[in-house]
Amino acid sequence: MCPSTHGYFRTIGRFALFAAAALTVAIAPAAAQPDFYAGKQVTFIVGAGVGGGYDLQARTAARHLGKHIPGNPTIVVQNMPAAGSMAATNFMFSTAPKDGTTIALIQRGMLLAKLTYPSGTRFDIEKFGWIGSLNSETAVTLSWNATAPHRTTKDLFEKELIVGGIVSVDPETTPRLYNSLIGTKFKIVSGYNSTAQIALAIERGEVQGIADWSWSSFKAVRPGWISDKKITMLMQGALQSDPELKGLPNALDFIKNPSDRQVMELHFTQKTAARPVVMPPGVPAERLAMLRSAFAALGQDKEFLAEAAKSRVEFNFVPGQAVDKVVALIVATPPAVAERYAKAFAPAK
């Protein structure tokens, strides 16, 4: 491997620490601007279905965000879940108004979509205005005790686990990658629009579990599953293991060679900016700065934080500048690694 590739992945391995440190840095308020947003409505598109983690976070944020934007615009949430945020992201890149009145919370899979779904991707991630991310995430794999025999991580490598999937989104892409890189035996039933739908499918017995559900979202949507011992936690997936999941094996623990590790780390890099909020290309820089400042202020808003805590909706704001660095890392992916990622991600023949 060339030295530049080594340096690239050392950067990825350190990124989670950088993002955490960035949260402690105050974002300077945008310079005073005319009240562009006064009397206006801001459309907040959610590239995910109603009732899932993305939707819950967006709606909680939208109820408080307007008071932190000069002019105090009304924030209206609109869901656009088709194709795992592909429709929403393509819309934001080419069709959405470029004046700052439309923002979107897109699913993190869009950060790597050009590698995984090149035919449907009509955007360049480096050209968006990245406002920030509402959270960084750790994936959890779990099975439903009433229908699945899986009780240990080892069972994932020995017994087929039928899991719900969402086209081009982590609940589907991650198990494909796990099957390819570490030899798990996930069988994916695709076609769901949100993790909330997959949760219902698990409870109805349509599938036996889920291979990648964000830990923060899982705790918000189904908090009783663990306390009622309805599920078994089998594995986690992130660049760094979550302290709350101490003792739960990380998918990276099962990687057998450096080249496979590079591919898995690339996949997990998107989780460091797991709930990214974007503006279309071409929005005036001062409005991007205003929105970045507004989201930073939202993270300190006591009323917002109280509602989030009451609703068990977890936020861990990642500043826009940190998301810029995630995007730069992904764009700089060495071609050999990008090619291996695309092949590893592809469905089994």
Side-chain angles (χ1 to χ4, degrees), residues 37-62:
Y37 286 102
K40 287 186 171 62
Q41 174 179 295
V42 172
T43 301
F44 193 172
I45 292 173
V46 183
V50 174
Y54 285 87
D55 182 63
L56 292 173
Q57 283 186 317
R59 292 180 184 276
T60 303

Side-chain angles (χ1 to χ4, degrees), residues 243-326:
E244 277 193 302
L245 300 172
K246 186 177 181 179
L248 188 66
N250 191 316
L252 287 170
D253 298 339
F254 302 97
I255 291 290
K256 295 181 175 62
N257 60 71
S259 58
D260 285 349
R261 175 171 289 274
Q262 294 163 10
V263 175
M264 188 78 82
E265 286 178 343
L266 174 63
H267 186 68
F268 288 157
T269 297
Q270 64 186 319
K271 293 183 182 296
T272 60
R275 307 289 168 128
V277 182
V278 302
M279 277 183 157
V283 173
E286 65 270 14
R287 290 177 198 160
L288 174 60
M290 291 166 69
L291 268 294
R292 283 184 169 185
S293 293
F295 271 92
L298 182 65
Q300 306 298 318
D301 185 324
K302 292 182 179 180
E303 292 181 355
F304 162 73
L305 294 173
E307 180 182 342
K310 183 178 180 180
S311 303
R312 298 185 178 180
V313 180
E314 186 173 303
F315 290 86
N316 180 19
F317 284 90
V318 179
Q321 292 90 333
V323 179
D324 287 341
K325 292 184 180 293
V326 176

Side-chain angles (χ1 to χ4, degrees), residues 115 177 180-181 257-264 266 333-346:
L115 302 180
L177 208 58
S180 177
L181 297 181
N257 60 71
S259 58
D260 285 349
R261 175 171 289 274
Q262 294 163 10
V263 175
M264 188 78 82
L266 174 63
T333 300
V337 177
E339 183 178 356
R340 288 204 73 248
Y341 179 77
K343 288 181 179 178
F345 162 82

Side-chain angles (χ1 to χ4, degrees), residues 183-245:
T184 51
K185 297 183 180 297
F186 292 105
K187 179 179 179 180
I188 305 162
V189 177
S190 192
Y192 297 99
N193 284 327
S194 68
T195 51
Q197 284 191 0
I198 295 176
L200 291 174
I202 292 171
E203 292 173 330
R204 291 194 296 259
E206 295 174 14
V207 295
Q208 298 173 314
I210 185 169
D212 185 331
W213 194 347
S214 294
W215 175 231
S216 65
S217 176
F218 168 63
K219 291 185 292 182
V221 175
R222 289 294 189 276
W225 278 10
I226 295 178
S227 60
D228 295 341
K229 298 182 179 180
K230 293 183 176 181
I231 57 98
T232 297
M233 304 281 285
L234 298 169
M235 193 161 61
Q236 62 178 301
L239 290 179
Q240 293 189 336
S241 295
D242 192 303
E244 277 193 302
L245 300 172

